[in-house]
Amino acid sequence: MQLTHAQKTEFYHNGYVKIPGVVPRLMVDAAVRAINSSVGQGIDPAQVHIYQSRSFCPELQREAVITDLYNKTPALALAESLIGPGKVKPVGAGQIALRFPTLQDPPNPPRPHLDGMHSPNNGVPQGTIRNFTMLLGVALSDVTSSYSGNLTVWPGTHHLYERYFREQGPLALLNGMPPVELPEPVQILVQAGDVILAHYELAHGVAQNVSPHPRYAIYFRLHHVEHELHGHATMSDIWREWEGMQEMVADLAV
Protein backbone atom coordinates (compact mmCIF):
# COMPACT_ATOMS: atom_id res chain seq x y z
CA MET A 1 0.00 0.00 0.00
CA GLN A 2 1.37 3.40 -1.03
CA LEU A 3 0.19 6.93 -0.41
CA THR A 4 -1.37 8.66 -3.39
CA HIS A 5 -0.11 11.95 -4.79
CA ALA A 6 -3.08 13.71 -3.15
CA GLN A 7 -2.30 12.14 0.23
CA LYS A 8 1.35 13.17 -0.03
CA THR A 9 0.26 16.70 -0.91
CA GLU A 10 -1.94 16.73 2.17
CA PHE A 11 0.93 15.42 4.27
CA TYR A 12 3.28 18.09 2.94
CA HIS A 13 0.93 20.97 3.75
CA ASN A 14 -0.69 19.72 6.97
CA GLY A 15 2.01 17.48 8.41
CA TYR A 16 -0.32 14.50 8.85
CA VAL A 17 -2.67 12.25 6.93
CA LYS A 18 -5.28 9.68 7.98
CA ILE A 19 -5.54 6.39 6.09
CA PRO A 20 -8.81 4.51 6.75
CA GLY A 21 -9.08 0.78 7.36
CA VAL A 22 -5.40 -0.18 7.33
CA VAL A 23 -5.43 -2.68 10.21
CA PRO A 24 -7.80 -5.68 10.02
CA ARG A 25 -10.55 -5.86 12.61
CA LEU A 26 -9.29 -9.24 13.82
CA MET A 27 -5.94 -7.69 14.80
CA VAL A 28 -7.64 -4.67 16.39
CA ASP A 29 -9.82 -6.94 18.51
CA ALA A 30 -6.86 -9.08 19.57
CA ALA A 31 -4.93 -6.01 20.74
CA VAL A 32 -7.92 -4.60 22.64
CA ARG A 33 -8.55 -7.97 24.27
CA ALA A 34 -4.93 -8.16 25.47
CA ILE A 35 -5.07 -4.58 26.79
CA ASN A 36 -8.37 -5.15 28.59
CA SER A 37 -7.03 -8.35 30.14
CA SER A 38 -4.02 -6.41 31.46
CA VAL A 39 -6.08 -3.48 32.73
CA GLY A 40 -8.47 -5.93 34.36
CA GLN A 41 -5.67 -7.10 36.63
CA GLY A 42 -5.69 -3.62 38.18
CA ILE A 43 -3.77 -0.36 37.71
CA ASP A 44 -1.65 1.17 40.45
CA PRO A 45 -3.11 4.69 40.89
CA ALA A 46 0.36 6.00 41.74
CA GLN A 47 1.59 4.94 38.28
CA VAL A 48 -1.21 6.42 36.17
CA HIS A 49 0.65 9.67 35.40
CA ILE A 50 3.66 7.67 34.22
CA TYR A 51 1.48 5.39 32.12
CA GLN A 52 -0.16 8.43 30.51
CA SER A 53 3.24 9.86 29.58
CA ARG A 54 4.93 6.59 28.56
CA SER A 55 2.59 3.63 28.05
CA PHE A 56 -0.15 1.69 29.73
CA CYS A 57 0.32 -2.08 29.99
CA PRO A 58 4.11 -1.88 29.64
CA GLU A 59 4.40 -5.67 29.71
CA LEU A 60 2.54 -5.78 26.37
CA GLN A 61 4.53 -3.14 24.49
CA ARG A 62 6.90 -5.64 22.83
CA GLU A 63 4.37 -8.43 22.35
CA ALA A 64 3.42 -9.42 18.81
CA VAL A 65 -0.24 -8.58 19.44
CA ILE A 66 0.92 -4.93 19.59
CA THR A 67 3.96 -4.78 17.30
CA ASP A 68 2.22 -6.73 14.52
CA LEU A 69 -0.20 -3.80 14.12
CA TYR A 70 2.74 -2.11 12.36
CA ASN A 71 5.05 -4.94 11.31
CA LYS A 72 2.42 -7.25 9.80
CA THR A 73 0.01 -4.75 8.21
CA PRO A 74 0.17 -2.20 5.38
CA ALA A 75 1.16 0.42 7.99
CA LEU A 76 4.81 -0.45 7.40
CA ALA A 77 4.54 0.05 3.64
CA LEU A 78 2.71 3.35 4.17
CA ALA A 79 5.55 4.60 6.36
CA GLU A 80 8.13 3.48 3.80
CA SER A 81 6.24 5.22 1.01
CA LEU A 82 7.15 8.48 2.77
CA ILE A 83 10.50 7.74 4.42
CA GLY A 84 11.79 5.33 1.77
CA PRO A 85 11.86 1.54 1.21
CA GLY A 86 14.15 -0.07 3.75
CA LYS A 87 14.82 3.31 5.37
CA VAL A 88 12.84 2.80 8.61
CA LYS A 89 14.55 1.21 11.60
CA PRO A 90 12.87 -2.01 12.78
CA VAL A 91 10.08 -1.47 15.28
CA GLY A 92 10.11 -3.57 18.42
CA ALA A 93 7.62 -1.80 20.68
CA GLY A 94 4.55 0.42 20.64
CA GLN A 95 3.10 2.92 23.09
CA ILE A 96 -0.26 1.75 24.43
CA ALA A 97 -2.13 5.03 24.75
CA LEU A 98 -5.41 4.92 26.68
CA ARG A 99 -7.57 7.90 27.58
CA PHE A 100 -10.28 7.23 30.13
CA PRO A 101 -13.43 9.35 30.51
CA THR A 102 -13.26 12.40 32.74
CA LEU A 103 -16.14 14.00 34.63
CA GLN A 104 -14.72 17.48 34.11
CA ASP A 105 -17.26 19.79 32.48
CA PRO A 106 -16.36 21.70 30.42
CA PRO A 107 -13.15 19.95 29.37
CA ASN A 108 -9.89 21.83 29.08
CA PRO A 109 -8.77 22.61 25.53
CA PRO A 110 -5.96 20.41 24.16
CA ARG A 111 -2.40 21.68 24.61
CA PRO A 112 0.26 21.32 21.89
CA HIS A 113 3.64 19.68 22.37
CA LEU A 114 6.46 18.02 20.49
CA ASP A 115 7.60 14.56 21.57
CA GLY A 116 11.06 14.03 22.98
CA MET A 117 10.97 16.97 25.39
CA HIS A 118 11.67 16.36 29.08
CA SER A 119 8.75 16.19 31.48
CA PRO A 120 8.66 14.77 35.01
CA ASN A 121 7.01 11.48 33.99
CA ASN A 122 8.08 10.68 30.41
CA GLY A 123 11.59 9.35 31.03
CA VAL A 124 13.36 11.87 28.78
CA PRO A 125 16.44 13.17 30.65
CA GLN A 126 16.52 16.87 31.39
CA GLY A 127 18.64 18.82 28.93
CA THR A 128 18.06 16.40 26.04
CA ILE A 129 15.79 16.26 22.99
CA ARG A 130 14.81 12.86 21.65
CA ASN A 131 13.46 13.74 18.25
CA PHE A 132 12.59 11.12 15.63
CA THR A 133 11.17 10.94 12.11
CA MET A 134 7.49 9.95 12.10
CA LEU A 135 4.69 9.31 14.57
CA LEU A 136 2.42 6.50 13.36
CA GLY A 137 -0.82 5.97 15.23
CA VAL A 138 -3.16 2.99 15.01
CA ALA A 139 -6.72 3.60 16.21
CA LEU A 140 -8.13 0.71 18.24
CA SER A 141 -11.48 2.33 18.99
CA ASP A 142 -13.91 4.61 17.18
CA VAL A 143 -13.56 8.31 17.95
CA THR A 144 -16.54 9.92 16.29
CA SER A 145 -16.89 13.26 18.10
CA SER A 146 -14.70 15.93 19.63
CA TYR A 147 -13.44 15.64 23.19
CA SER A 148 -13.39 11.86 23.06
CA GLY A 149 -9.66 11.50 23.68
CA ASN A 150 -8.91 12.59 20.10
CA LEU A 151 -5.40 12.93 18.79
CA THR A 152 -5.32 16.67 18.18
CA VAL A 153 -3.02 18.37 15.67
CA TRP A 154 -2.14 21.92 14.68
CA PRO A 155 -1.88 21.65 10.88
CA GLY A 156 1.16 23.14 9.20
CA THR A 157 3.15 23.73 12.37
CA HIS A 158 5.98 21.51 11.10
CA HIS A 159 6.77 24.31 8.63
CA LEU A 160 6.48 27.01 11.30
CA TYR A 161 8.81 25.15 13.65
CA GLU A 162 11.32 24.42 10.89
CA ARG A 163 11.67 28.16 10.26
CA TYR A 164 11.94 28.82 13.99
CA PHE A 165 14.69 26.22 14.48
CA ARG A 166 16.58 27.53 11.46
CA GLU A 167 16.68 30.93 13.15
CA GLN A 168 17.16 29.87 16.78
CA GLY A 169 18.78 26.43 16.47
CA PRO A 170 17.16 23.10 17.40
CA LEU A 171 18.34 23.26 21.01
CA ALA A 172 16.03 26.23 21.51
CA LEU A 173 13.40 23.55 22.19
CA LEU A 174 15.07 23.04 25.56
CA ASN A 175 13.58 26.42 26.52
CA GLY A 176 10.04 25.21 25.84
CA MET A 177 7.67 25.14 22.90
CA PRO A 178 8.53 27.67 20.17
CA PRO A 179 6.70 30.97 20.72
CA VAL A 180 4.98 31.07 17.34
CA GLU A 181 1.37 31.86 16.49
CA LEU A 182 -0.52 28.61 16.01
CA PRO A 183 -3.40 27.76 13.67
CA GLU A 184 -6.66 26.34 14.96
CA PRO A 185 -6.32 22.75 16.20
CA VAL A 186 -8.04 19.77 14.60
CA GLN A 187 -9.40 16.93 16.74
CA ILE A 188 -9.04 13.92 14.44
CA LEU A 189 -11.99 11.54 14.08
CA VAL A 190 -11.17 7.89 13.43
CA GLN A 191 -12.58 4.41 13.15
CA ALA A 192 -10.86 1.40 14.68
CA GLY A 193 -8.21 0.20 12.23
CA ASP A 194 -7.42 3.65 10.81
CA VAL A 195 -3.80 4.77 10.72
CA ILE A 196 -2.51 8.32 11.18
CA LEU A 197 0.90 9.32 9.87
CA ALA A 198 2.35 12.51 11.35
CA HIS A 199 5.62 14.36 10.94
CA TYR A 200 7.69 14.47 14.12
CA GLU A 201 7.70 18.26 14.05
CA LEU A 202 3.92 18.64 13.92
CA ALA A 203 2.47 20.15 17.10
CA HIS A 204 0.02 17.67 18.59
CA GLY A 205 -1.76 16.81 21.80
CA VAL A 206 -4.73 14.89 23.13
CA ALA A 207 -8.24 16.11 23.82
CA GLN A 208 -9.83 15.21 27.12
CA ASN A 209 -12.35 12.39 26.94
CA VAL A 210 -15.87 13.31 28.02
CA SER A 211 -17.43 10.40 26.11
CA PRO A 212 -18.71 7.34 28.01
CA HIS A 213 -15.94 5.09 26.63
CA PRO A 214 -12.16 4.75 26.96
CA ARG A 215 -10.13 5.60 23.89
CA TYR A 216 -7.62 2.99 22.72
CA ALA A 217 -4.68 3.71 20.41
CA ILE A 218 -1.16 2.50 19.73
CA TYR A 219 1.65 4.87 18.74
CA PHE A 220 4.88 3.90 17.04
CA ARG A 221 7.79 6.35 16.89
CA LEU A 222 9.67 5.67 13.69
CA HIS A 223 13.30 6.52 13.01
CA HIS A 224 15.12 6.79 9.69
CA VAL A 225 17.99 4.29 9.56
CA GLU A 226 20.47 7.19 9.61
CA HIS A 227 18.65 9.23 12.24
CA GLU A 228 21.46 8.98 14.77
CA LEU A 229 23.80 10.48 12.17
CA HIS A 230 21.38 13.29 11.31
CA GLY A 231 20.35 13.97 14.91
CA HIS A 232 18.88 17.39 15.63
CA ALA A 233 19.74 18.66 12.15
CA THR A 234 16.43 17.28 10.92
CA MET A 235 14.59 19.80 13.09
CA SER A 236 15.73 22.64 10.81
CA ASP A 237 15.65 20.49 7.65
CA ILE A 238 12.37 18.66 8.09
CA TRP A 239 12.38 16.61 4.86
CA ARG A 240 15.95 15.28 5.12
CA GLU A 241 14.75 11.82 6.15
CA TRP A 242 11.81 11.61 3.77
CA GLU A 243 12.96 10.00 0.53
CA GLY A 244 9.41 9.44 -0.65
CA MET A 245 8.61 13.16 -0.28
CA GLN A 246 11.55 14.63 -2.20
CA GLU A 247 9.72 15.12 -5.50
CA MET A 248 6.77 16.66 -3.67
CA VAL A 249 9.06 18.97 -1.70
CA ALA A 250 10.81 20.10 -4.87
CA ASP A 251 7.44 20.97 -6.44
CA LEU A 252 5.81 22.61 -3.41
CA ALA A 253 8.63 24.00 -1.25
CA VAL A 254 7.78 27.40 0.15
Side-chain angles (χ1 to χ4, degrees):
M1 181 180 287
Q2 301 286 307
L3 292 184
T4 66
H5 184 272
Q7 288 168 328
K8 287 187 175 183
T9 302
E10 180 181 354
F11 189 87
Y12 175 83
H13 287 297
N14 293 334
Y16 76 100
V17 64
K18 180 181 73 174
I19 314 298
V22 174
V23 177
R25 187 74 206 198
L26 188 66
M27 296 178 74
V28 168
D29 289 347
V32 173
R33 180 185 180 190
I35 293 167
N36 283 341
S37 176
S38 174
V39 172
Q41 304 303 309
I43 298 177
D44 181 356
Q47 299 296 311
V48 168
H49 291 301
I50 293 176
Y51 293 157
Q52 287 175 336
S53 296
R54 302 186 192 184
S55 177
F56 283 85
C57 314
E59 79 283 359
L60 293 178
Q61 287 186 263
R62 296 184 175 275
E63 295 296 321
V65 72
I66 299 300
T67 57
D68 282 357
L69 298 170
Y70 171 80
N71 290 320
K72 298 294 179 64
T73 73
L76 191 157
L78 289 170
E80 288 190 333
S81 74
L82 291 174
I83 298 173
K87 298 297 185 180
V88 184
K89 283 187 176 183
V91 167
Q95 177 193 9
I96 299 168
L98 310 180
R99 286 295 179 264
F100 293 98
T102 176
L103 300 180
Q104 182 173 329
D105 186 17
N108 293 324
R111 297 178 59 186
H113 70 272
L114 292 179
D115 286 347
M117 300 174 66
H118 166 77
S119 73
N121 298 311
N122 70 0
V124 177
Q126 199 162 8
T128 64
I129 300 169
R130 290 183 175 173
N131 62 310
F132 49 89
T133 308
M134 176 195 289
L135 181 69
L136 187 150
V138 178
L140 297 183
S141 56
D142 297 344
V143 179
T144 58
S145 60
S146 298
Y147 289 101
S148 298
N150 315 58
L151 175 65
T152 303
V153 296
W154 282 256
T157 44
H158 56 316
H159 292 298
L160 299 179
Y161 292 156
E162 179 185 40
R163 289 195 286 270
Y164 176 81
F165 292 131
R166 284 179 177 176
E167 295 172 358
Q168 304 296 326
L171 294 183
L173 188 59
L174 293 174
N175 300 322
M177 286 295 289
V180 301
E181 185 175 353
L182 299 180
E184 288 297 311
V186 173
Q187 295 191 29
I188 302 176
L189 307 181
V190 292
Q191 300 286 328
D194 292 354
V195 161
I196 299 170
L197 311 174
H199 196 287
Y200 162 76
E201 212 147 306
L202 181 72
H204 63 282
V206 60
Q208 287 190 303
N209 185 0
V210 298
S211 81
H213 308 290
R215 186 223 67 184
Y216 296 77
I218 307 296
Y219 291 106
F220 299 97
R221 287 163 176 81
L222 308 183
H223 297 77
H224 187 277
V225 292
E226 295 182 351
H227 183 74
E228 290 183 3
L229 176 64
H230 299 156
H232 297 147
T234 60
M235 296 172 66
S236 55
D237 183 8
I238 61 172
W239 301 113
R240 178 179 293 197
E241 296 181 335
W242 300 78
E243 180 180 300
M245 287 292 294
Q246 294 307 308
E247 184 176 348
M248 182 71 61
V249 172
D251 290 341
L252 297 176
V254 293

